[in-house]
Amino acid sequence: MGILLLEQPLNAAAAHAEFLVEHGHHGAVAAFTGVVRSESGGVDYLYLDWYPGMTEASIRAIADAAKARFDIREVAVLHRCGRVEAGEPVVFVAAASEHRRAAFEAVDYMMDRLKSEAALWKREVGDGVDRWVEPRGEDAVSLKRWS
Amino acid sequence: MGILLLEQPLNAAAAHAEFLVEHGHHGAVAAFTGVVRSESGGVDYLYLDWYPGMTEASIRAIADAAKARFDIREVAVLHRCGRVEAGEPVVFVAAASEHRRAAFEAVDYMMDRLKSEAALWKREVGDGVDRWVEPRGEDAVSLKRWS
Amino acid sequence: MAKVEVLFFGRMADVAGARRKTCDAVRLLTLRESFFGADVAAVRMSVNQVQVFADQALNDGDEVAFFSVFSGG
Amino acid sequence: MAKVEVLFFGRMADVAGARRKTCDAVRLLTLRESFFGADVAAVRMSVNQVQVFADQALNDGDEVAFFSVFSGG
């Protein structure tokens, strides 16, 4: 599965199922799915601007860093780009390991880095809302845990 | 979904899919699946002894503690009992939240507590192997992070 | 004497050589000693599905369990 | 003068009022100033898909991009 940047809907359930089949035998599979919140202040959809080529490379660099840093066997990162409707998954990250702590930490680490180091630009659009989103202070704090 | 103790095979992919449908709209879903390792030193299967009633109560207490402690909306804990073959899932834990950090921590916390506080007794059986498993030192260290 | 159901789980079922017995007993620790002797450091116990850590009197119909340390997940 | 492709992403596409332009340019910072003036604190840049943080000379066929801070995940 590896790294995928998708303009089409991301099927997180199918990705998780496939990852379990292929890599579950290592013993520990941690996963994270981020969904566009439907209840949050009038946002109808996200638009994720991306830079073809550079965006994929930035995501791959994050996955490679996780594999180098943690005792894990395999990772998957599926990330949407383009228009993502409220209620749809925007990101799916998984890691397989023989050790549950390594699997947890790898997924946690990749999510932190994706928030601020993947070449993506998030715009929230909805009823009276149209704004580019910048990483929040808590994202920077969360990222700093790994440095 | 909530809490389930299963004598039959645990379908972690289906559980994850169902959890996403029901609770994904909160925004952040973290999940962990533990699978009986097929490559580990001749273990053909696990046998998980359980105490009907008390085992379910002990798992429910862990899930309730996670809900009280973290800013999460829903959790799922599916745990096998009885004979679990190598390659089969033994546990699936998920948490949904509006905040990814809370979702991660709740799953991590529940796994740590399940290892040593769920009323289950794990026996490894295989080629020349038949032993009751006790929590490892690293499990105790991991658990202590929450106290 | 109270008549109690005694259950054994995990390694303690092997040690006691039983999964379930009906016994006449007065106190929990005396009952435990009858199965495990003095070497009881690893024996956990519950009465009516609540884990207990000290001696107590037993009543007719109580469900007692003896078991090894938990290992789930 | 080098002929370069210039791409704009995120908020900087709105600020520049463009997604893509072909420009004649000599140096990266001069090119950036031509679109964003002196107010460039929030403008990130890359040359040939590698993020850069200092000035550099541009060559014919270079692909330059200007963009706001990343926000994925």
Side-chain angles (χ1 to χ4, degrees), chain A residues 47-54 79 90-91 111 114-122 132-135, chain D residues 7-14 19 42 46 48-51 63-65 67-73:
Chain A
Y47 181 79
L48 279 157
D49 200 7
W50 78 105
Y51 186 170
M54 186 166 160
H79 210 300
V90 64
V91 62
M111 280 306 305
L114 286 167
K115 284 274 168 187
S116 50
E117 297 176 20
L120 290 157
W121 298 273
K122 189 187 288 180
W132 291 101
V133 179
E134 306 214 336
Chain D
L7 310 176
F8 304 88
F9 297 100
R11 191 162 62 80
M12 294 312 146
D14 293 353
R19 298 281 303 168
S46 65
N48 298 325
Q49 305 212 350
V50 176
Q51 203 170 354
E63 180 179 287
V64 173
F67 43 85
S68 46
V69 62
F70 299 148
S71 56

